[in-house]
Amino acid sequence: MTRTETPVVSEEYVSGGSRPSALRITDLRVANLHGVPFRSSIIRIDTNQGLVGYGEVRDQASATYALMLKSRLVGENPCNVDKLFRKIKQFGFHARQGGGVSGVEMALMDLAGKAYGVPVYALLGGQFRDVIRCYADTPSVSDPEEMGRRLLERKRRGFTMLKMDVGVDLLCDVPGTVIAPAGARDNKTTMHPFAGIQVTAKGVEYLTNYVDTVRSILGYDVALAADHFGHIALDSCIRIGRALEPFTLAWLEDLIPWQFTDQWRQLTEAVAVPTCTGEDIYLTEGFKPLLDAGAIRVVHPDPATSGGIAETKRLGDYAQERGVAMAVHLAASPIATMACVHLASATENFLALEHHAADVPFWSELVTDLPRPLIQDGHIAVPETPGLGFGDINEELFRHQLDPRDPVFFAESTHWDAENSHDRLWS
């Protein structure tokens, strides 16, 4: 080619799917599902160029948390993820109240990836891994031998990490194991330190024998975490934690409410088992007291509460600087799961991603163009396709799984278009 010739540019490598600078949000709608594994609202954000982004409100949270954000998003460029996140994050809070902001952020990241033609992990700085380890949560049963067999079945399916419940619910019919005020064990709204529930030495021994039996069946070549100890106070937590030290548990989860940083620090210093919490904390700032105090060994955000993909990546990096690993809590459809897969791929101190749907046979079929089953040998392969990586939703299956209490399938949401207020937090 001479200097005067015009170079030939092949369009083979040019994305024709979007003009990112001209991309605008035109609509936000939801579909309410149940049994996926629990109740979840799927967010769909539409654009003026035909691109669609999907996210997911946290399990058992209100779709209103997402719909109320519509008027703040329509007309905006979804590729400006950080700008829009800063605009809407004031409307989230801890636990399920973070579900709307977090689910919208997932959908924005999905759109940005599709607009630029890259997988979401690339927007986060690239990969540390291309397969994601999952841990299977397993419903608890009172018979430890049956519990061991249930866990063993998951191990045979290829999971290298599992989780079970170990707590006062196992002691309901065992006399002399729990001391509690009348009605305290049925009260789920009083925080642990104030419930007045104590586990006796007999109760601790019972739980120890339970875990011993489970481990004898499952073996020690698979990681095993424990959760749902009940609304018991710090001293009982310490006694149980010390008694469970011989069984090399991956972590003890949510023994006390996450708000009590000093109690978590005391617990962590008292037991030789990793301590873990975080599924109900919103934004990195919410995690900082625990991490700055060295109060936990494993941080455990749910990205459907903690702020979505990029914010949870920020949290993971903050935790890594303090020597803390990050596991990811989740009970969701493949949509939020794939959001977490990209997050996990791009976060160096990632440990494992929770899978709560090991007993839902159709779970992998809720979206298209991904491997079936999605989880193979306990891992998910990170897709190379743009956005979150799946092709589309399975509309027929979505309609079959609509929540009978509110069977909305991406119905028009114009009644949210005019929702507005003076949102500025300063004068």
Side-chain angles (χ1 to χ4, degrees), residues 254 256 258 264 275-279 281 287 290 296 298-301:
D254 292 341
I256 47 183
W258 62 267
W264 273 106
T275 50
C276 171
T277 195
E279 68 184 71
I281 303 177
F287 289 87
L290 287 164
I296 53 175
V298 178
V299 68
H300 198 220

Side-chain angles (χ1 to χ4, degrees), residues 72-368:
R72 280 95 175 170
L73 297 168
V74 169
E76 295 276 8
N77 186 336
C79 296
N80 296 327
V81 179
D82 190 30
K83 172 189 172 183
L84 295 184
F85 182 72
R86 294 179 189 217
K87 183 178 183 179
I88 66 174
K89 71 177 181 178
Q90 64 178 290
F91 301 106
F93 197 61
H94 301 300
R96 265 67 186 180
Q97 294 180 59
V101 171
S102 300
V104 164
E105 193 269 0
M106 294 177 190
L108 295 174
M109 292 290 280
D110 188 27
L111 277 168
K114 290 172 178 175
Y116 293 123
V118 298
V120 164
Y121 70 73
L123 302 176
L124 301 174
Q127 291 182 294
F128 286 96
R129 59 192 61 82
D130 56 13
V131 292
I132 305 306
R133 183 193 195 195
C134 297
Y135 75 87
D137 195 292
T138 307
S140 185
V141 293
S142 58
D143 180 359
E145 293 188 357
E146 173 61 21
M147 190 69 223
R149 288 191 291 269
R150 288 190 178 193
L151 292 166
L152 187 61
E153 183 273 337
R154 280 154 162 57
K155 175 183 173 182
R156 288 169 176 163
R157 285 163 61 179
F159 287 100
T160 62
M161 185 172 184
L162 305 166
K163 189 169 77 175
M164 66 175 181
D165 298 342
V166 180
V168 294
D169 286 348
L170 296 174
L171 306 177
C172 290
D173 300 320
V174 185
T177 58
V178 175
I179 301 171
R185 296 180 66 170
D186 297 323
N187 182 352
K188 305 303 182 184
T189 59
T190 299
M191 297 177 93
H192 303 40
F194 319 123
I197 300 174
Q198 295 176 289
V199 179
T200 67
K202 182 179 179 180
V204 173
E205 181 182 13
Y206 186 95
L207 296 177
T208 303
N209 291 336
Y210 183 96
V211 176
D212 189 17
T213 300
V214 168
R215 265 301 194 192
S216 69
I217 296 169
L218 180 64
Y220 282 83
D221 58 344
V222 61
L224 179 62
D227 191 9
H228 290 294
F229 288 84
H231 289 200
I232 56 178
L234 177 61
D235 291 337
S236 289
C237 293
I238 290 174
R239 289 198 299 273
I240 292 170
R242 286 173 173 168
L244 297 182
E245 287 177 356
F247 307 111
T248 319
L249 296 177
W251 65 65
L252 306 174
E253 181 176 335
D254 292 341
L255 286 98
I256 47 183
W258 62 267
Q259 291 90 339
F260 299 114
T261 298
D262 191 58
Q263 291 194 25
W264 273 106
R265 182 188 55 76
Q266 293 178 62
L267 175 64
T268 296
E269 292 174 349
V271 301
V273 185
T275 50
C276 171
T277 195
E279 68 184 71
D280 291 320
I281 303 177
Y282 183 58
L283 303 182
T284 300
E285 285 68 25
F287 289 87
K288 285 183 177 180
L290 287 164
L291 294 169
D292 292 346
I296 53 175
R297 294 287 182 259
V298 178
V299 68
H300 198 220
D302 189 313
T305 280
S306 56
I309 302 170
E311 177 67 11
T312 311
K313 156 70 171 169
R314 177 181 169 224
L315 163 65
D317 292 344
Y318 190 88
Q320 182 174 2
E321 292 175 0
R322 283 142 189 84
V324 176
M326 184 176 80
V328 176
H329 179 276
L330 193 68
S333 82
I335 291 175
T337 298
M338 294 313 298
C340 293
V341 164
H342 287 275
L343 160 69
S345 178
T347 308
E348 187 175 15
N349 61 329
F350 166 78
L351 189 61
L353 167 63
E354 183 169 17
H355 179 56
H356 224 301
D359 299 319
V360 180
F362 60 82
W363 184 82
S364 296
E365 300 174 18
L366 285 161
V367 296
T368 68

